[in-house]
Amino acid sequence: MTKENVFSNTIDTLYETSRLLNEYESKPRKYGTEDDLYMVEAHIINLIGDKKHINISDIAKYMNRTKSAASQNISRLVKKGLVEKRKSTNSSREVVIMLSSKGYTVYQYHKNLDKTEYEAYLAKLEHFSTDDFEKIEQFLSIVNDNLMYLLKNNNDK
């Protein structure tokens, strides 16, 4: 096979992966509480848990979302009792988003789930070297950078 053929097959596989991830993300599931959560909500909870001190603007930036979309996500999580909004001790104008105890349960559950899933993947990919993973990461970074460029330029039109 030529380099071009392998590249084309890789991009096709990447599109299929993207489609499957979109489908997976669109189905709500439980993360250690009675609440049904979409993956984006679980990832926002992870971000809040990892950063400890974060506001809606930071969440929007990290999640590559608009402030409005991030605010809507946070409002849903507040209604579910998973996060709390508090005035920042550093600035009277800043609102900080923090995990509630229930949100911390989701955070821990999702971290453990990720750990288990990553270990299962690594077991299946045992024959891949660290260098192989670094090349895959490099490739995906280039694809992501190109997609970000395309998204930015499409939004300008």
Side-chain angles (χ1 to χ4, degrees):
M1 240 190 212
T2 67
K3 182 178 182 178
E4 288 78 14
N5 287 356
V6 172
F7 176 77
S8 180
N9 289 344
T10 302
I11 293 297
D12 288 345
T13 302
L14 187 58
Y15 285 139
E16 177 66 8
T17 301
S18 175
R19 188 191 64 70
L20 290 168
L21 279 171
N22 283 334
E23 184 179 339
Y24 185 79
E25 288 178 345
S26 73
K27 298 187 186 315
R29 54 191 51 82
K30 297 189 184 324
Y31 291 89
T33 68
E34 72 280 359
D35 299 288
D36 282 329
L37 296 174
Y38 290 94
M39 189 179 285
V40 69
E41 294 172 318
H43 285 163
I44 289 171
I45 288 172
N46 268 9
L47 179 63
I48 295 166
D50 288 345
K51 299 293 181 191
K52 309 276 187 281
H53 186 274
I54 194 165
N55 61 37
I56 289 177
S57 295
D58 292 336
I59 291 169
K61 186 171 72 173
Y62 282 112
M63 300 293 292
N64 195 32
R65 298 177 115 41
T66 64
K67 287 180 191 175
S68 175
S71 182
Q72 289 172 16
N73 288 131
I74 293 302
S75 292
R76 280 193 292 277
L77 293 173
V78 167
K79 283 180 187 168
K80 292 178 182 183
L82 298 167
V83 301
E84 300 168 355
K85 293 180 179 181
R86 295 195 182 151
K87 290 270 187 199
S88 172
T89 55
N90 301 334
S91 165
S92 61
R93 292 178 46 187
E94 183 182 27
V95 175
V96 177
I97 311 300
M98 303 174 70
L99 295 179
S100 66
S101 59
K102 189 173 159 184
Y104 188 75
T105 298
V106 171
Y107 173 72
Q108 288 297 116
Y109 185 93
H110 193 249
K111 285 290 185 188
N112 289 333
L113 182 64
D114 279 352
K115 184 178 184 293
T116 301
E117 287 181 1
Y118 292 173
E119 287 170 355
Y121 274 119
L122 281 172
K124 292 177 184 176
L125 301 169
E126 195 175 314
H127 61 284
F128 282 75
S129 69
T130 301
D131 188 51
D132 292 334
F133 284 118
E134 287 172 351
K135 286 179 182 171
I136 292 167
E137 182 181 19
Q138 220 176 9
F139 168 78
L140 291 174
S141 289
I142 290 167
V143 170
N144 286 347
D145 288 347
N146 189 58
L147 287 170
M148 292 292 283
Y149 173 80
L150 293 172
L151 285 169
K152 182 178 183 252
N153 287 330
N154 278 342
N155 287 338
D156 292 342
K157 293 181 181 178

